[in-house]
Amino acid sequence: MGTSRWRWGTLATAGLAQLMVVLDSTVVTIALPSAQVDLTMSDVARGWMITAYSLAFGAVLLLGGRLADRWGPRGAFVVGLTGFGVASLLAGLAPTTVTLLVGRGLQGVFAALLAPAGLAIISRSYIEPRERGTAFGVYGALTGAGAVVGLLLGGALTEFFGWRWTLLINVPIVLLALLGAARTVPLLTGTPMRLDLRGAALSALGMAALVVGLAQAGTSGLAAPSVLVPVVLGGLLLAAFLLLQARIGEPLLPPAVVRDRARAGALLAVGLPQLALFGFFLVLTYWFQQLLGYTPVRAGLAFLPLAVAIAVGSTAIAGVLATRLPARWLMTCGLIVMSGGMLVLVGLDPVAESLYWTRFLPAELLIGIGLGITITSAVATATSRVADAHTGAASAAVNVVTQLGGALGVALLNSIAAATTTAALAATQGGSEPARETAAIVAGFDASLLTGAAILAASALVVAAVVPTRTTTAPDVAEQP
């Protein structure tokens, strides 16, 4: 691969692009009120400012991964970067709501090409076990901490420069990444193949239906027809997609990518923590702003220790231990530590003094370290021992389970919190109205956190049972296409 300088330049370039993709899922969140006023946006359209990105991203991911295999990771990476930059410019300068939403959707489309291409570059560029552990440690830190940093960056950009800069900031990042790609990313060859357009259509429609349904669960409830109908339809479409993949010669998602026990367990270890993590973000956001009275910027700052802990878990722990301990135990221990962090936040008293330092900070440190360990080990395992012709598909599978885990987590844990709060209000008698409402909200948060902790603990058991002990994050014998 050349000198060490350029080898790590490759990681910096791919990591910068991955950070940008993850940031854009949350960076506009705090900008929503300002954008809504500026463009006289309806409440429904406001929600689509976030959903348009995640919907397009999730729907096109598997096709994006296969294009990365066909064009070669660097070619797909450059196309994804260029398209993402143009879409960001369109959205940031949008004069109308429609233009803004089109720009956000196009961002998601090109992110679906950029994300698997970047991960494929890392997977194919770092083969030596120690370097591979370090590379995936950095990747895991950026992936896990990106959403947290996005909340803080979005608040700062909106407050000091205006909401449009939450989108326009991508343009200089893209230019920097394109320069890095030209100078440091190796010209990794692609594999000639026919594209499975039927599979692309089934997977895109199935993913889109799932995202649309799950996005409405927070307001309508999991049992609402507006949620159940698209979710069931999405499930049927994805089932048809999987059947098709097993029968054709050049599938969009080669069965070999998910048939391996270690890889299947690693994909679960990537997706299931997202289910709990996004619910955790939601609970803490409301705790900080609704119960503790934090401003948006202060709330973003309160999340910073979580980002630091993720970086420590990914690099200083998982990155170092990747060649010394089986990935099975790293993932299992990381999930257990995350579960313990969730439990630290159960049963809080909103009027207790020093609540942040005594409960929130320890919880963030435990969850962050556990997530960093888990994600780093899981992503490395999910993309190791894959033939070059399948690295894009394997990388896309990692991003698919991440997107689905996050969407399902927000829907599930938000619905549990809302239902528990409503039930607690109905069951509580006496006392002042504000005190009753606060107690009911806390009960809802507790139910959500307990569910998240249970999911993480169950995930640890599943990973320990599925992933073979001998599997490490170092590459094994390459499987053939």
Side-chain angles (χ1 to χ4, degrees), residues 75-365:
F77 187 75
V78 170
V79 172
L81 274 175
T82 304
F84 197 92
V86 173
S88 298
L89 189 63
L90 174 66
L93 299 177
T96 65
T97 298
V98 172
T99 308
L100 173 62
L101 296 183
V102 169
R104 286 290 286 167
L106 289 173
Q107 278 185 312
V109 168
F110 286 103
L113 178 61
L114 181 58
L119 183 52
I121 287 171
I122 296 174
S123 180
R124 288 179 60 176
S125 299
Y126 299 93
I127 306 300
E128 192 274 324
R130 186 176 298 278
E131 285 189 349
R132 186 175 176 86
T134 301
F136 277 100
V138 173
Y139 178 87
L142 294 173
T143 301
V148 180
V149 176
L151 293 172
L152 178 59
L153 181 62
L157 288 172
T158 301
E159 185 168 333
F160 298 114
F161 299 100
W163 69 268
R164 292 183 182 277
W165 276 99
T166 61
L167 298 160
L168 294 175
I169 191 66
N170 291 321
V171 176
I173 295 176
V174 163
L175 293 175
L176 183 61
L178 283 172
L179 178 62
R183 292 176 62 88
T184 68
V185 175
L187 185 60
L188 301 167
T189 58
T191 301
M193 65 181 71
R194 294 180 59 185
L195 288 179
D196 173 21
L197 297 181
R198 287 183 300 167
L202 286 172
S203 67
L205 291 173
M207 289 284 293
L210 281 178
V211 172
V212 168
L214 294 173
Q216 299 180 76
T219 55
S220 303
L222 287 172
S226 60
V227 175
L228 290 179
V229 171
V231 166
V232 170
L233 176 61
L236 291 174
L237 288 170
L238 291 178
F241 164 74
L242 292 175
L243 288 174
L244 176 65
Q245 300 308 285
R247 296 178 179 177
I248 61 177
E250 294 181 310
L252 197 64
L253 180 64
V257 169
V258 293
R259 189 184 298 138
D260 179 79
R261 282 181 57 193
R263 192 169 299 117
L267 289 173
L268 289 175
V270 172
L272 291 175
Q274 299 301 317
L275 196 153
L277 183 67
F278 274 71
F280 168 74
F281 281 155
L282 188 67
V283 169
L284 254 65
T285 297
Y286 276 95
W287 252 107
F288 290 152
Q289 297 187 65
Q290 186 173 350
L291 296 181
L292 300 182
Y294 287 10
T295 64
V297 171
R298 186 182 178 187
L301 288 171
F303 276 110
L304 269 185
L306 177 64
V308 174
I310 292 171
V312 171
S314 299
T315 56
I317 300 178
V320 172
L321 296 179
T323 58
R324 304 177 185 179
L325 292 176
R328 173 191 186 185
W329 297 121
L330 287 174
M331 288 185 278
T332 301
C333 292
L335 290 166
I336 292 172
V337 171
M338 286 184 70
S339 181
M342 289 277 188
L343 293 177
V344 169
L345 294 177
V346 175
L348 299 186
D349 181 358
V351 299
E353 295 183 1
S354 303
L355 197 60
Y356 180 80
W357 301 104
T358 58
R359 302 292 286 275
F360 287 114
L361 181 59
E364 287 189 32
L365 294 177

